[in-house]
């Protein structure tokens, strides 16, 4: 979940936590968009100078609410070719609970930015999907990330490759193989339900195949405001259960533990 430091979120960490408590949750994680190394700056993330304030705010809420709610401290880092060293250095600055790695760019195209929608008209949807899944596979292979964020974000605006495209299915499979090999978790995110595509990330086909490969899942609302805390959690957990997955991950100091979905839901009363 995000804070206003990324320039596209609202609310205080305390407000996010209060909503979680009201929903009966016992654990949440903040994972704001991380600063990026020089040359990769833009308006979608905190600056390096804001990292300290981010940590201070989350630590304070974590400590104040410690008896009632576990608050984990993470980051959502961008995976962009050429930024790996800088991102690794940034990750090394703190004892994080978890790091999400996300692909939001294909080369210089921030394909999830509504202002860049026109670029879809000059690219091939099939090529773009393959390039996207290839980057996600590469992000897993770096070994820098605990969770692969919204693993089919490329569908955000509803662009679809031809049904049954062999190339896209192969790229999807290669992505999942890379995630399995790197022992990463996949995020199951309700954010897609709030976007034009109107679907959970990732697609049920990907969830099913990941389940076969015994890849673990972490639920994320990707909330950019307190109103979205826990949004779509039941739908995400139901999709997992329907795919034969009965556990979700939690993280502490970058160690993964598994929680049964039954227990995760029971906690909410
Ligand atoms: Zn965001
Ligand atoms: Fe993201």
């Amino acid at each position: 979940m995000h804070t206003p430091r990324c320039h596209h979120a609202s609310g205080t960490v305390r407000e996010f936590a209060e909503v979680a408590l009201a929903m009966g949750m016992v654990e949440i994680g903040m994972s704001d968009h991380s600063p990026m190394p020089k040359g990769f700056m833009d308006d979608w993330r905190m600056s390096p100078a804001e990292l300290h304030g981010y940590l201070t705010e989350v630590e304070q809420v974590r400590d104040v609410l410690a008896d009632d709610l576990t608050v984990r401290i993470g980051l959502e880092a961008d995976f962009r070719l050429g930024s790996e060293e800088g991102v690794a250095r940034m990750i090394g600055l703190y004892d994080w609970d978890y790091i999400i790695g996300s692909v939001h760019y294909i080369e210089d195209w921030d394909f999830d930015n509504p202002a860049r929608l026109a670029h879809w008209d000059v690219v091939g949807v099939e090529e773009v999907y393959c390039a996207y899944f290839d980057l996600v596979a590469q992000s897993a292979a770096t070994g820098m990330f605990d969770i692969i964020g919204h693993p089919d974000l490329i569908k955000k605006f509803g662009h679809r490759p031809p049904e049954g495209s062999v190339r896209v299915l192969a790229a999807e499979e290669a992505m999942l193989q890379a995630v399995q090999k790197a022992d990463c978790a996949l995020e199951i995110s309700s954010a897609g339900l709030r976007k034009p595509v109107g679907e959970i990330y990732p697609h049920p086909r990907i969830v099913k195949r990941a389940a076969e490969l015994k890849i673990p899942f972490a639920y994320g609302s990707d909330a950019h405001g307190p109103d979205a805390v826990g949004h779509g959690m039941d739908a995400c957990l139901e999709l997992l259960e329907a795919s034969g997955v009965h556990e979700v991950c939690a993280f502490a100091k970058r160690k993964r533990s598994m929680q049964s979905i039954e227990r995760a839901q029971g906690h909410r009363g």
Side-chain angles (χ1 to χ4, degrees), residues 2 6 8-9 32-33 44 76 104 112 222 224:
H2 299 274
C6 68
H8 60 284
D32 207 0
H33 294 283
W44 296 90
E76 179 179 6
H104 300 108
D112 67 332
D222 198 3
H224 284 67

Side-chain angles (χ1 to χ4, degrees), residues 42 45 83 87 95 112 115-116 132-134 142 170 181 183 213 222 231 242 259:
D42 65 22
R45 60 182 53 83
S83 71
V87 170
D95 201 5
D112 67 332
R116 301 295 307 279
Y132 170 78
F133 284 123
D134 186 49
T142 63
K181 192 166 169 218
D183 194 26
L213 294 170
D222 198 3
H231 169 257
Q259 300 281 328

Side-chain angles (χ1 to χ4, degrees), residues 5-20:
R5 291 171 188 82
C6 68
H7 313 286
H8 60 284
S10 60
T12 63
V13 174
R14 181 66 187 250
E15 287 166 343
F16 280 73
E18 296 290 353
V19 173

Side-chain angles (χ1 to χ4, degrees), residues 198-209:
E199 258 180 28
I200 287 168
Y201 303 123
H203 189 276
R205 177 184 62 250
I206 297 178
V207 173
K208 192 162 162 268
R209 180 62 184 143

